[in-house]
């Protein structure tokens, strides 16, 4: 392994200080693979040095998870035991800062029946989702990545130095180099994203129109007053600014659930439950996905859209210029954290109530009434074609170019 200890510590510090922004006296919940125990120690130490009161670790293992799915039955796996529910309850009380280090083998669940995976997920969500809703917007969290051997081999199957190459890509996208100050680099990056979001918010668009030669021809309504957000978020309880995803390139909002029309054509494969859906497009009528075609994985895509009532509606639209460093890496990461930051995308399923003014304090029921979609899934798919154009349309009918040829149009660029 060529990556130096110094670089690893720099990265751990960045995750804790800039990503999670751990505050003095806070409890931290770290979720990390047992394989990454050495890096876990670096993160734990960085948390304590930032003033954490206690760092609790949830160790996970993708190989163990696979064994559970292979041998245990659906009912048992779908059960949330009282102590697990107590833990979720405690989380609502303590509001710990959460750090997730993603490193799973993208093929970890290959061969496990998709129906079993979705049944277990649905059954657990019935008990745990209210607790997840209750902490939404009220705690800091961050997802960052650490390349495991299997993940790296999936991205670079025929190379000896797969892990090094994945490291190189990850560090490039999270703006960590041997001699830079990544905290400063992130400040400039988030300032840029926030200036774009501010421009979008000042425009007051009521709908967006997407067009590309690949078949994308789509209009979606936005929720009046809903905000475009990007880069960071603020914990509504303690005011701490944090960066939920590292890397992050997107500016996003939740569109009006059930109010879109037309076809979206994907430009990159979608990896869901360890399976690939390729060359697909989804047609929407009256805001709902009514049909889809895929060269590969069509059945899986149809199953996804039927997961629950909200799974066929959009929860997110996001703008990412094609110059994104993730896109420049030029390969599929098989990990949404990266792949969704490659180019423009939309997501089926759960929306973000925090884009509504006062949304953090709304119940999901209230947010739904305002147009935010509700679902147990949130699956991003990439629609940022090189020739993609996006127009913003205001309530008075005036039109502004937002994207041309897959990147910011001039009006957006100048911020006027
Ligand atoms: Zn997104």
């Amino acid at each position: 392994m060529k990556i130096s200890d110094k670089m690893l510590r720099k990265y751990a510090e960045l995750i804790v200080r800039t990503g999670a922004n751990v505050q003095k006296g806070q409890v931290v919940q770290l979720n990390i693979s047992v394989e990454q125990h050495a890096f876990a120690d670096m993160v734990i130490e960085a948390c304590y040095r930032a003033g954490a009161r206690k760092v609790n670790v949830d160790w996970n293992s993708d190989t163990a998870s696979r064994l559970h799915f292979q041998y245990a039955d659906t009912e048992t796996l779908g059960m949330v035991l009282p102590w697990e529910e107590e833990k979720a309850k405690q989380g609502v009380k303590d509001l710990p800062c959460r750090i997730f280090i993603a490193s799973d083998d993208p093929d970890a669940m290959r061969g496990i029946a998709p129906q079993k995976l979705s049944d277990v997920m649905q059954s657990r969500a019935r008990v745990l989702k209210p607790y997840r809703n209750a902490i939404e917007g009220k705690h800091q969290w961050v997802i960052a990545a650490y390349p495991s051997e299997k993940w790296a081999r999936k991205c670079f199957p025929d190379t000896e130095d797969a892990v090094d190459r994945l490291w190189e890509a990850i560090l490039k996208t999270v703006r960590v180099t041997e001699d830079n100050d990544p905290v400063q680099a992130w400040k400039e990056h988030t300032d840029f994203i926030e200036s774009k979001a501010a421009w979008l918010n000042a425009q007051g668009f009521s709908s967006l129109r997407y067009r590309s030669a690949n078949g994308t021809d789509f209009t979606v309504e936005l929720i009046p007053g809903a905000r475009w957000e990007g880069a960071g978020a603020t914990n509504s309880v303690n005011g701490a600014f944090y960066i939920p995803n590292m890397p992050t390139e997107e500016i996003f909002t939740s569109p009006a659930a059930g109010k879109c029309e037309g076809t979206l054509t994907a430009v990159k494969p979608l990896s869901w439950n360890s399976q690939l859906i390729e060359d697909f497009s989804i047609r929407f009528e009256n805001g709902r996905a009514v049909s889809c075609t895929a060269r590969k994985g069509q059945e899986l895509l149809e199953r996804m859209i039927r997961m629950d009532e909200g799974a066929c509606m959009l929860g997110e639209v996001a703008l990412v210029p094609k110059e994104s460093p993730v896109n420049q890496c030029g390969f599929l990461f098989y990990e949404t954290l990266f792949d969704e930051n490659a180019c423009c995308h939309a997501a089926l399923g759960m929306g973000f109530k925090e884009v509504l003014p006062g949304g953090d304090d709304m119940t999901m029921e209230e947010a739904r009434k305002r147009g935010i979609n509700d679902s147990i899934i949130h699956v991003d798919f990439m629609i940022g074609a090189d020739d993609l154009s996006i127009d913003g349309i205001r309530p008075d009918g005036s039109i502004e170019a937002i994207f041309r040829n897959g990147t910011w149009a001039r009006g957006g660029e100048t911020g006027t």
Side-chain angles (χ1 to χ4, degrees):
M1 172 65 63
K2 271 182 281 179
I3 178 160
S4 66
D5 240 45
K6 182 186 147 202
M7 286 280 271
L8 282 176
R9 286 189 189 281
K10 224 168 157 175
Y11 183 36
E13 282 282 329
L14 180 73
I15 292 167
V16 169
R17 302 269 177 177
T18 300
N21 191 8
V22 172
Q23 303 289 297
K24 271 202 172 40
Q26 253 186 336
V27 174
V28 179
Q29 196 80 33
L30 170 65
N31 193 307
I32 189 166
S33 164
V34 289
E35 286 176 42
Q36 267 59 264
H37 60 89
F39 187 61
D41 286 347
M42 292 183 188
V43 174
I44 292 167
E45 194 173 357
C47 288
Y48 280 124
R49 293 216 319 225
R53 178 153 53 97
K54 176 76 200 302
V55 184
N56 297 317
V57 187
D58 284 328
W59 297 102
N60 67 60
S61 154
D62 53 2
T63 51
S65 298
R66 186 194 165 78
L67 288 168
H68 298 320
F69 272 94
Q70 231 174 311
Y71 290 99
D73 61 58
T74 305
E75 200 192 331
T76 307
L77 292 173
M79 212 144 54
V80 177
L81 293 171
W83 65 266
E84 287 183 274
E85 198 173 345
E86 277 309 314
K87 190 177 172 186
K89 244 179 238 172
Q90 189 72 40
V92 176
K93 222 185 280 168
D94 293 349
L95 297 169
C97 178
R98 285 166 201 260
I99 300 175
F100 302 88
I101 305 297
S103 63
D104 279 4
D105 171 11
D107 286 337
M109 292 296 169
R110 171 165 285 184
I112 304 290
Q115 188 69 52
K116 188 171 186 178
L117 289 167
S118 50
D119 285 351
V120 169
M121 187 177 152
Q122 279 165 327
S123 162
R124 293 184 59 81
R126 269 194 289 277
V127 180
L128 293 175
K129 195 157 175 294
Y131 300 106
R132 283 209 293 266
N133 289 347
I135 62 172
E136 179 113 31
K138 296 180 178 164
H139 69 292
Q140 305 115 263
W141 57 277
V142 59
I143 309 179
Y146 189 104
S148 65
E149 179 85 32
K150 280 181 183 155
W151 176 20
R153 294 222 171 280
K154 176 77 183 175
C155 300
F156 303 104
D158 304 315
T159 43
E160 289 264 295
D161 58 347
V163 173
D164 291 337
R165 289 183 63 178
L166 186 53
W167 256 129
E168 200 183 308
I170 289 175
L171 293 174
K172 176 186 165 128
T173 62
V174 297
R175 298 169 157 79
V176 176
T177 66
E178 277 290 349
D179 40 42
N180 79 337
D181 172 4
V183 174
Q184 181 57 30
W186 271 84
K187 195 179 172 319
E188 285 161 24
H189 179 48
T190 50
D191 282 353
F192 174 78
I193 290 182
E194 291 197 331
S195 72
K196 290 292 187 201
W199 177 78
L200 283 161
N201 286 325
Q203 300 306 307
F205 295 131
S206 51
S207 65
L208 303 178
R209 170 117 202 234
Y210 291 71
R211 261 173 295 191
S212 159
N214 69 10
T216 286
D217 187 355
F218 181 75
T219 308
V220 60
E221 268 186 46
L222 302 175
I223 300 171
R227 296 184 61 78
W228 289 91
E229 294 193 355
T234 302
N235 178 337
S236 65
V237 176
N238 64 6
F241 180 81
Y242 62 102
I243 315 267
N245 290 339
M246 299 185 114
T248 188
E249 302 290 332
E250 62 172 0
I251 296 168
F252 63 91
T253 190
S254 285
K259 292 188 176 171
C260 64
E261 217 62 50
T263 300
L264 288 174
T265 300
V267 295
K268 289 178 197 284
L270 165 63
S271 174
W272 193 59
N273 288 347
S274 292
Q275 284 170 288
L276 272 195
I277 304 167
E278 285 179 84
D279 293 334
F280 62 99
S281 61
I282 305 174
R283 196 165 62 82
F284 293 84
E285 267 177 34
N286 292 318
R288 288 176 165 76
V290 290
S291 67
C292 59
T293 55
R295 189 174 55 79
K296 201 180 145 197
Q298 175 148 356
E299 201 196 316
L300 189 68
L301 182 57
E302 284 167 358
R303 185 196 309 280
M304 192 176 89
I305 289 167
R306 288 195 309 259
M307 279 289 282
D308 60 14
E309 219 187 304
C312 65
M313 294 189 277
L314 293 185
E316 177 191 359
V317 288
L319 306 176
V320 182
K322 64 183 177 189
E323 298 86 0
S324 151
V326 175
N327 212 17
Q328 283 171 4
C329 287
F331 64 93
L332 191 68
F333 283 77
Y334 296 94
E335 166 60 64
T336 302
L337 175 63
F338 293 85
D339 294 326
E340 78 155 338
N341 282 301
C343 57
C344 287
H345 58 272
L348 286 164
M350 188 72 175
F352 309 110
K353 63 179 183 172
E354 66 267 26
V355 301
L356 299 175
D360 285 332
D361 298 319
M362 281 180 199
T363 63
M364 202 52 225
E365 187 54 43
E366 289 166 331
R368 217 172 14 219
K369 277 191 199 132
R370 296 281 312 276
I372 300 286
N373 195 26
D374 186 16
S375 172
I376 59 170
I377 68 160
H378 176 97
V379 184
D380 301 87
F381 59 100
M382 303 303 117
I383 52 170
D386 280 351
D387 70 337
L388 180 67
S389 74
I390 305 173
D391 285 333
I393 303 161
R394 299 191 187 87
D396 66 3
S398 60
I399 297 173
E400 188 86 38
I402 302 175
F403 261 51
R404 285 294 178 266
N405 292 314
T407 192
W408 294 104
R410 249 182 99 246
E413 204 59 62
T414 55
T416 52

